[in-house]
């Protein structure tokens, strides 16, 4: 989600399954308004050889109606070259 400042994980499935401990709670703005969400310590890594692990804090949010369990925010994208072409139906993410 290139509009998201922070990356997010599904609170119910990811945070609870991995038994992550909430470190903080902050007010988060979204398309539907704002709400308080827990922050979790996490690491992001593409499943490719030689990609670095990026340490960050992620918000736990409700993603159960979405087809994915995490959103990549600008906190990860700032370490990458991200290319998206809607007309070509192409994207690339290089860390």
């Amino acid at each position: 989600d290139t509009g998201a400042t922070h990356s997010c994980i599904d609170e119910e499935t990811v945070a609870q399954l991995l038994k992550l401990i909430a470190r903080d709670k902050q007010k988060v703005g979204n398309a539907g308004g704002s709400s308080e969400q827990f922050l979790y310590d996490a690491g992001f890594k593409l499943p490719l050889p030689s990609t670095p692990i990026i340490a960050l804090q992620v918000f736990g949010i409700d993603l159960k109606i979405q087809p994915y369990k995490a959103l990549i925010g600008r906190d990860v994208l700032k370490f990458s070259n991200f290319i998206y072409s809607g007309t070509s139906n192409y994207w690339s993410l290089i860390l």
Side-chain angles (χ1 to χ4, degrees):
D1 182 350
T2 58
T5 304
H6 284 84
S7 296
C8 305
I9 58 172
D10 184 62
E11 180 118 46
E12 187 174 310
T13 55
V14 178
Q16 290 179 11
L17 179 69
L18 296 176
K19 297 180 171 64
L20 299 180
I21 298 168
R23 299 292 180 196
D24 195 7
K25 194 171 192 178
Q26 291 185 8
K27 194 172 198 175
V28 178
N30 56 48
S34 65
S35 60
E36 285 198 341
Q37 303 294 334
F38 286 111
L39 272 170
Y40 298 92
D41 293 332
F44 176 84
K45 182 181 184 324
L46 289 175
L48 301 169
S50 303
T51 56
I53 296 174
I54 300 170
L56 66 153
Q57 288 192 314
V58 295
F59 282 107
I61 63 172
D62 181 3
L63 289 173
K64 67 180 144 218
I65 63 168
Q66 302 295 332
Y68 34 78
K69 299 300 176 200
L71 297 173
I72 299 171
R74 291 192 315 260
D75 54 348
V76 171
L77 294 176
K78 71 181 178 184
F79 296 105
S80 71
N81 286 317
F82 176 65
I83 299 168
Y84 172 72
S85 173
T87 57
S88 300
N89 195 25
Y90 169 82
W91 65 271
S92 172
L93 178 65
I94 302 168
L95 292 177

